[in-house]
Amino acid sequence: MTFQILFAASAGHIYLGNTLWYLIVFAILLILVKHYAWGPVSDMMEKRRQKVISDLDSAADNRKKAEVLANEREAALKNSRQEATQILTDAKASAEKTSTQIVAEANDNAASIHEKAKADAAQAKADALDEARAQVADISVTIAEKVISKNLSADDQKDLVDQFIKGLNK
């Protein structure tokens, strides 16, 4: 067979030479594609797959972090509300305690003023009675001197005054 016969095709027939030639060229192309294209494309696809996985993991981590932060923020808000309620409760209790204390002090002051006024009134009454006794004694002595025309001793004057006052109380 000649070269032309092996590699030539007649109208509608493919010869064995053409088939072998096509298979060899196809095998060479596969080797070249595998060496020059398949490895870099495979590496590029693997890198892309790793990047997608990394992005998905990062998104999941960020979502978890966001949920944790949202929960912390909610807890902080709840604590703030509780603290505000506690502050208001403490303020009300403090105001009530202060009010009660002020009223108690005012009542104590009023009671002490009342007691002092009573004591002052009693002292004034005692002073007035002592002064009245002294004046009555002087008047009695003057009257008695005029009546009996003599001077009485101090003990005699005291006895007369005491008898006079006892007579007034009856």
Side-chain angles (χ1 to χ4, degrees):
M1 285 180 147
T2 65
F3 184 70
Q4 256 182 349
I5 296 175
L6 283 176
F7 295 107
S10 65
H13 296 296
I14 298 180
Y15 294 104
L16 181 63
N18 285 342
T19 305
L20 286 174
W21 176 249
Y22 291 138
L23 285 174
I24 292 172
V25 170
F26 183 71
I28 291 172
L29 284 175
L30 278 179
I31 291 171
L32 289 174
V33 166
K34 182 180 179 199
H35 181 68
Y36 289 108
W38 187 256
V41 169
S42 237
D43 290 342
M44 181 183 68
M45 293 303 282
E46 181 62 25
K47 287 178 184 174
R48 177 71 179 150
R49 186 180 73 81
Q50 291 296 329
K51 185 176 183 321
V52 168
I53 290 171
S54 172
D55 289 347
L56 288 174
D57 290 344
S58 176
D61 289 344
N62 287 340
R63 183 181 50 80
K64 287 179 183 177
K65 288 178 184 176
E67 287 176 1
V68 168
L69 288 175
N71 290 338
E72 288 175 359
R73 186 179 46 226
E74 187 67 31
L77 182 61
K78 188 176 182 180
N79 287 342
S80 296
R81 286 181 182 153
Q82 289 175 346
E83 287 176 10
T85 303
Q86 185 63 37
I87 289 170
L88 286 175
T89 303
D90 291 346
K92 285 179 183 178
S94 177
E96 190 173 316
K97 181 180 176 183
T98 303
S99 172
T100 304
Q101 185 179 9
I102 289 171
V103 169
E105 286 177 7
N107 287 338
D108 290 345
N109 286 343
S112 68
I113 289 171
H114 183 66
E115 291 299 320
K116 187 177 179 193
K118 273 182 160 180
D120 288 346
Q123 184 62 39
K125 182 178 177 183
D127 290 344
L129 283 175
D130 288 343
E131 188 177 328
R133 284 184 187 142
Q135 287 178 356
V136 167
D138 288 340
I139 293 171
S140 299
V141 169
T142 306
I143 291 172
E145 281 181 352
K146 288 184 181 179
V147 169
I148 57 173
S149 294
K150 76 171 197 175
N151 280 336
L152 296 175
S153 69
D155 290 333
D156 293 337
Q157 288 178 8
K158 186 175 178 185
D159 288 339
L160 283 175
V161 169
D162 287 339
Q163 288 175 5
F164 179 75
I165 290 175
K166 287 179 185 176
L168 287 177
N169 286 337
K170 289 181 185 180

